[in-house]
Amino acid sequence: QMPRTHGDSFIHIDRFAAVYEQSAALPIHSFATGDAVSLAIGKNVAQLVRNGDCLQMGIGAIPDAVLSCLTEHKDLGVHTELFSDGILQLVEKGVINNSKKRFYPGKLVTGFALGSQKLYDYVDDNPAVIFMDIEQVNDTAIIRKNPNVMAINSALQVDLSGQVCADSIGTKIYSGVGGQMDFIRGAGLSEGGRSVIALPSTAAGGTLSRIASVLSPGAGVVTTRAHVHYIVTEYGAANLRGRSLRERAQALIAIAHPDFREQLSRDAFEVWGLNL
């Protein structure tokens, strides 16, 4: 029941010492319905997407919400690790046609697919979808070949200087680093490229601010403050590119949850020495 995909996936049967065949259903990942916070974040991110952009995004409620808000856009392209149902919906609507890409123009480039049976049926023997080795999909030198790359990723915590933690909660590893840095760097080098870190403003049922004065002890920096561009929450977007520490803190506090802004302002002065 495995789809036959085009791209780097053809291997001659003579290269195998043994072959075992079994029919088994593929794992199904349901399209995220999203909540009010995810939808608000999706709308804020969608406002940063321009017609003709080449998208990269992950999986989950926020990426799905972003994709659901792009139905009025035109001529979008895709060069991404993951091909999901949210992307497929935009392909079917003609929003994504890959016409503005320079690397495999007219083709949707991806590394793997995860979603519904409809998605798997779509990629089956479809030459419009190119599956490539992740070493190529995530190669910064290849990503930057496309103009207007828009890399959309998530995070667990962001500090007031713009450092992004996406793989751990303190010293506890939560997930792998993934391709976040590859695509943020590639977008930064792309002609007209931009990148977004999208996250809810709070965690733990609203008791913790994801925008923190400093990262939790032991937290890993996945995206450095030298590479970060837009940070987006349900309260808006902060453009940190080329900004001073003071400007960064002001912009991030403005999109933090209102319950934490006063404390963050005090921390900006007491911890960072920033007089806002």
Side-chain angles (χ1 to χ4, degrees):
Q1 299 178 43
M2 180 68 71
R4 179 179 186 265
T5 59
H6 289 247
D8 292 337
S9 48
F10 290 101
I11 303 174
H12 198 281
I13 195 169
D14 290 345
R15 294 181 61 186
F16 292 92
V19 175
Y20 170 73
E21 294 186 11
Q22 179 183 9
S23 181
L26 296 174
I28 301 297
H29 181 86
S30 300
F31 187 73
T33 56
D35 53 18
V37 171
S38 296
L39 184 58
I41 296 171
K43 290 179 179 179
N44 288 335
V45 174
Q47 291 178 1
L48 301 174
V49 178
R50 302 188 297 237
N51 291 336
D53 279 352
C54 180
L55 304 179
Q56 172 267 327
M57 57 182 57
I59 193 168
I62 292 177
D64 286 347
V66 174
L67 291 166
S68 71
C69 296
L70 297 177
T71 55
E72 300 302 317
H73 283 68
K74 299 178 180 179
D75 299 328
L76 297 181
V78 172
H79 180 110
T80 187
E81 283 182 299
L82 171 67
F83 184 14
S84 67
D85 282 86
I87 293 175
L88 178 58
Q89 291 185 10
L90 293 181
V91 171
E92 292 177 331
K93 292 178 183 295
V95 175
I96 292 175
N97 58 25
N98 299 290
S99 61
K100 304 299 183 182
K101 293 171 60 180
R102 292 177 189 159
F103 183 76
Y104 276 113
K107 307 285 187 180
L108 190 155
V109 173
T110 187
F112 61 97
L114 180 64
S116 66
Q117 187 60 49
K118 180 181 179 181
L119 177 71
Y120 302 144
D121 292 341
Y122 179 80
V123 302
D124 184 32
D125 208 17
N126 186 346
V129 183
I130 303 296
F131 283 78
M132 299 182 67
D133 190 319
I134 291 295
E135 289 187 359
Q136 290 183 288
V137 175
N138 287 34
D139 187 337
T140 299
I142 291 177
I143 295 168
R144 69 177 299 184
K145 289 182 179 180
N146 289 313
N148 302 307
V149 171
M150 183 56 151
I152 303 168
N153 291 277
S154 60
L156 296 170
Q157 193 178 42
V158 179
D159 76 10
L160 289 181
S161 74
Q163 295 186 116
V164 176
C165 175
D167 68 340
S168 66
I169 301 173
T171 57
K172 182 181 180 181
I173 299 299
Y174 180 82
S175 71
V177 171
Q180 180 173 129
M181 195 59 222
D182 300 324
F183 281 94
I184 284 181
R185 181 63 175 157
L189 294 170
S190 161
E191 179 185 341
R194 286 143 291 126
S195 64
V196 171
I197 298 293
L199 72 167
S201 63
T202 62
T207 61
L208 294 174
S209 176
R210 289 183 183 267
I211 295 177
S213 54
V214 294
L215 297 181
S216 299
V221 177
V222 173
T223 295
T224 76
R225 57 191 175 213
H227 292 95
V228 73
H229 193 174
Y230 288 102
I231 304 291
V232 175
T233 72
E234 67 270 32
Y235 292 101
N239 183 358
L240 305 188
R241 179 172 286 181
R243 302 295 176 87
S244 68
L245 287 177
R246 182 174 179 273
E247 291 169 333
R248 286 165 177 253
Q250 287 177 321
L252 288 168
I253 291 171
I255 64 168
H257 192 284
D259 291 349
F260 298 95
R261 291 177 188 173
E262 184 176 345
Q263 182 61 53
L264 288 170
S265 294
R266 287 198 297 266
D267 290 344
F269 177 76
E270 295 172 2
V271 177
W272 291 92
L274 303 173
N275 188 357
L276 306 184

